[in-house]
Amino acid sequence: MSQNSAIVAPKSRSWKSLVWDTWDKPEEERRFLSRLDACLLTYAALSYFSKYLDQQNITNAYVSGMKEEHGNELNYITTAWTCGYVLGQVPSNMLVTRIRPSIWIPAMEIVWSVLTMTLASAKNFETLLVIRFFVGLAEATFYPAIQYVIGSWYKGEELGKRSCIFHHQEKPKSIMRRY
């Protein structure tokens, strides 16, 4: 450290900024962050919620009568989904940096939705497994891509709170999945 450099004291923060970090920011930035929170975090929470319900729908169907038709094949169905999900993670992470997330995420959600609806038309067990694999492949895009988007839009000091909000929206899912 040179003789001429001064030590700069960190900017003092009000107690309100400990509760919510935008209260110490200028009005225009506060409004922008509020709109960004409302749009991005709401979209992320609702989409992730629907994906979670999809992950649980086979288990609910199995308990509600699919067991009589397919016996003990729930593990194969779950494994097919998991294999698709795991195999889709790395390509999705690479593609989300090449294709705009505003195009990639909704496109994969449409593919996921179509495949999920196609599950109803599965005539045999093998078809069910194949469709479930591709559902997992399409679903693999969302979580890493939304983390990438959240990390791209928020500053470091804002990111922790937004990530916590996104992750804590999971709690109501365990209640809702039973219905």
Side-chain angles (χ1 to χ4, degrees):
M1 187 184 285
S2 70
Q3 297 288 341
N4 295 336
S5 65
I7 297 175
V8 178
K11 182 182 168 188
S12 64
R13 295 173 58 181
S14 72
W15 65 271
K16 293 189 291 186
S17 70
L18 296 174
V19 176
W20 194 250
D21 56 0
T22 60
W23 287 343
D24 282 347
K25 299 191 189 262
E27 179 66 27
E28 187 175 329
E29 188 175 354
R30 255 195 333 248
R31 279 196 312 260
F32 173 74
L33 284 172
S34 295
R35 282 186 295 224
L36 184 61
D37 289 343
C39 293
L40 183 59
L41 294 178
T42 302
Y43 170 75
L46 291 175
S47 293
Y48 200 55
F49 179 74
S50 68
K51 305 260 182 289
Y52 181 78
L53 289 179
D54 174 60
Q55 292 171 13
Q56 298 301 317
N57 72 359
I58 292 291
T59 305
N60 291 343
Y62 187 77
V63 170
S64 299
M66 199 169 105
K67 184 176 184 178
E68 286 77 31
E69 188 175 330
H70 288 290
N72 287 329
E73 295 171 337
L74 177 64
N75 288 336
Y76 294 116
I77 298 168
T78 305
T79 302
W81 179 88
T82 304
C83 288
Y85 194 82
V86 168
L87 291 174
Q89 293 283 314
V90 173
S92 172
N93 280 332
M94 293 187 328
L95 286 171
V96 80
T97 60
R98 306 282 190 268
I99 301 171
R100 285 184 17 208
S102 62
I103 295 171
W104 179 245
I105 296 172
M108 291 311 291
E109 286 205 0
I110 290 170
V111 169
W112 166 78
S113 300
V114 168
L115 288 169
T116 300
M117 289 184 274
T118 307
L119 278 172
S121 67
K123 300 291 184 209
N124 57 33
F125 182 68
E126 290 76 25
T127 306
L128 182 69
L129 285 178
V130 170
I131 294 172
R132 199 69 184 150
F133 172 82
F134 285 110
V135 166
L137 199 64
E139 217 171 294
T141 295
F142 185 76
Y143 187 80
I146 206 66
Q147 290 296 334
Y148 174 78
V149 169
I150 290 173
S152 298
W153 275 97
Y154 291 104
K155 295 178 189 172
E157 72 260 9
E158 302 162 345
L159 187 58
K161 211 165 263 181
R162 275 43 178 218
S163 290
C164 284
I165 290 170
F166 174 66
H167 287 286
H168 275 76
Q169 59 80 28
E170 289 183 20
K171 302 309 174 205
K173 292 189 298 195
S174 62
I175 296 168
M176 296 297 292
R177 76 173 185 184
R178 291 174 174 82
Y179 297 104

